[in-house]
Amino acid sequence: MKFKPLSKTEEITEKNILLEEFREAPRAGEGRMGQSHFFYRYFINARYVSYRKIQNAYLRVESGESGEFLLKEFYLILKLDDNTEGKLRFEREENVKRILAYLEENYPRIEIGYKKGK
């Protein structure tokens, strides 16, 4: 598995440490909540960011149509301290909500929810 930082200023952590933390982390769909990092897995890659870099997190729902079918896509938006934004796509809304609840419970300094003008 290949680990890539979500933040441009994320310090490089040893792959073995990341791999061990990733394996032990509780899952919520494509996301995993490790001891000190949040992981997002897609195919053979995993993006990661340390919790101390996350300033704001919220759920974004985008919808559209394909013929007669209504399509909804769910994204976990992470605003980081280096003014970058991670837009991570999830299959299920409940997985994003589970991650947001985890962040709110364990990291009270992270602002949860979207506020217009931010």
Side-chain angles (χ1 to χ4, degrees):
M1 177 170 310
K2 192 173 191 180
F3 290 96
K4 296 180 179 181
L6 190 61
S7 170
K8 294 175 184 168
T9 61
E10 182 83 39
E11 65 275 355
I12 296 173
T13 310
E14 265 191 61
K15 182 181 176 184
N16 294 340
I17 295 169
L18 287 173
L19 186 59
E20 186 176 322
E21 184 179 354
F22 179 83
R23 286 182 179 160
E24 294 174 2
R27 290 172 67 169
E30 295 85 349
R32 291 188 186 208
M33 291 86 60
Q35 290 291 326
S36 57
H37 294 89
F38 173 75
F39 297 95
Y40 175 77
R41 183 173 183 174
Y42 60 99
F43 299 110
I44 61 169
N45 296 315
R47 310 258 343 221
Y48 68 94
V49 64
S50 61
Y51 294 115
R52 62 183 168 73
K53 292 204 165 280
I54 302 172
Q55 292 185 329
N56 179 250
Y58 60 92
L59 166 67
R60 178 183 290 165
V61 179
E62 295 181 2
S63 59
E65 294 179 15
S66 177
E68 298 177 8
F69 301 103
L70 178 64
L71 301 174
K72 282 190 173 182
E73 292 186 331
F74 307 101
Y75 294 92
L76 173 63
I77 307 298
L78 299 175
K79 297 205 176 196
L80 308 178
D81 64 357
D82 61 358
N83 294 322
T84 59
E85 180 179 283
K87 183 177 179 183
L88 309 172
R89 186 180 177 284
F90 281 75
E91 290 291 321
R92 301 191 192 290
E93 181 179 16
E94 60 267 14
N95 290 327
V96 177
K97 288 182 176 181
R98 189 177 320 148
I99 292 166
L100 292 174
Y102 175 84
L103 292 174
E104 188 171 38
E105 183 179 322
N106 295 292
Y107 301 94
R109 65 159 197 78
I110 297 176
E111 191 176 323
I112 303 297
Y114 176 76
K115 299 233 178 8
K116 197 168 187 169
K118 281 221 166 200

